[in-house]
Amino acid sequence: MDFEFSDEQQAFVKDVERFLDEHDDPDIFDVTRENMAQIVDTPKRRAFMAEVGEQGWLGITWPKEYGGQEGEGVYEYLLNEQLAGRGGPQIGKGVGIIGKTLIHHGSEKLKAEFLPKILRNEVEFAVGYSEPDAGSDAASMKLKATRDGDGWRLNGQKVWTTSAHFAEWYWLGARTDPDDKHGGITLFLVPLDQPGITIKGMWTMGDERTNEVFIDDVFVHDDYVVGEVGKGFQYISQALDLERFTMFTFSPIKQRLDLLVEYVRTTVRDGVPLKDDPVVRQRIARLVADAETARVLGLRFVAESMKGGAPPTTHASEYKLFATELSKRLASESMDIAGPGSALRVRTEEAPMAGRAESTYRYTVIDTIGGGTSEVQKNIIARRKLGLPKNF
Ligand SMILES: Cc1cc2nc3c(=O)[nH]c(=O)nc-3n(C[C@H](O)[C@H](O)[C@H](O)COP(=O)(O)OP(=O)(O)OC[C@H]3O[C@@H](n4cnc5c(N)ncnc54)[C@H](O)[C@@H]3O)c2cc1C
């Protein structure tokens, strides 16, 4: 078994590193935004991603007929890991969830309208699955789509819609059949800037914004139904496997672990270097070993997904569960090891690790919820990998 990258893959990483060095800008790259650094929410970040698109890197894995390069999934992984390691915006919803679903299931009209714009980074999307009574169990969504002439009329509420306050389009799951739980959900593409859509900000404990979205009598033409009516839940489930992997990158874990190791290496407490404290040494060793496990679980997902077919569900869940729980533990260990000073706010220069432990501590909790909670990942592994009975 070979866990090393090929010469060609390493050369690609060098190209990306060079490109990122040339575009180094604190308004684009900010590791203190933690996992939310991935969203493309400012004009500067949009312009940067458009340049990433000009390199041909946005559609690196897309088929050539849609403007892609038909590259192996490992290149998208390598690109995203480089971007994430610097706290930069990443390939996410547009290329991954929306683009890949449209390529497989979208009409020619939707492909022609959206795919070129995604590759040039000219459009941002928000994803609306969760509702007040439908989070882990997304198939319980109630937002109602009622047949009206040559389209559908939408009414209801979504919650936790990240990016809705700056995105142009809403990738929205709605109930087209109240009597069929899974087969009664359809995916729609809806412009966000229109009467009938109200967006209200919700701030997370990680300082970043997500949103409630209220939909009041919004008409959507049949042309903007994604794929087949009633197949929405199937498309959502496939895309969620990708989301679980692409949105929770490994590089930030490595970056925070390096920060902690450097802190331990250079700090003396009560006259004793921290690096000589046996308890601290044990804790660091455990974190380093676990980080390697997370890295390899990620590589295993990449290797499995390159075999073709549907994204490997249990591999995505194993990676998401292990990596995000490790992130949380790493933050907790950083707080413990650095002591009371670690409670100082992020960007406090005199705080241990300039306050990173504090922001990571708050933020990593969120990572174990978004994209499906840790309990949900455990259920998926229990059912699909171990064949255990369903609990809901
Ligand atoms: C920062 C952030 C951004 C998000 N962005 C988006 C977005 O852009 N679009 C979107 O659609 N959603 C988004 N979400 C929503 C996210 O997907 C949901 O929060 C998540 O699926 C959990 O749903 P819930 O919050 O309703 O919790 P619930 O489903 O109510 O769960 C509550 C608790 O019960 C546990 N639980 C639930 N069911 C089971 C079960 N069967 N077995 C064991 N335990 C269970 C859960 O693990 C959790 O601990 C975001 C969430 C966050 C925090």
Side-chain angles (χ1 to χ4, degrees), residues 36 93 126-137 158-163 204 210 243 363 366 369-376 379 391-392:
M36 274 285 195
K93 293 189 266 256
V127 169
Y129 306 147
S130 304
E131 296 180 6
D133 294 320
S136 299
D137 186 14
K158 294 285 172 187
V159 73
W160 305 115
T161 303
T162 306
S163 309
T204 69
T210 178
E243 175 179 347
Y363 209 93
I366 298 170
I369 300 169
T373 65
S374 291
E375 289 75 21
V376 166
N379 281 337
N391 78 338
F392 66 96

Side-chain angles (χ1 to χ4, degrees), residues 26-37:
D27 291 338
I28 300 172
F29 303 104
D30 180 1
V31 289
T32 68
R33 287 187 71 178
E34 308 293 345
N35 197 20
M36 274 285 195

Side-chain angles (χ1 to χ4, degrees), residues 172-176 184-188 225-226 228-233:
L172 183 74
R175 182 151 296 284
T176 39
I185 293 172
T186 301
L187 265 179
F188 294 89
V225 169
V226 177
E228 287 179 47
V229 170
K231 289 272 175 73
F233 191 72

Side-chain angles (χ1 to χ4, degrees), residues 169-183:
W169 284 87
Y170 205 13
W171 177 258
L172 183 74
R175 182 151 296 284
T176 39
D177 181 350
D179 300 322
D180 185 344
K181 185 172 178 183
H182 293 89

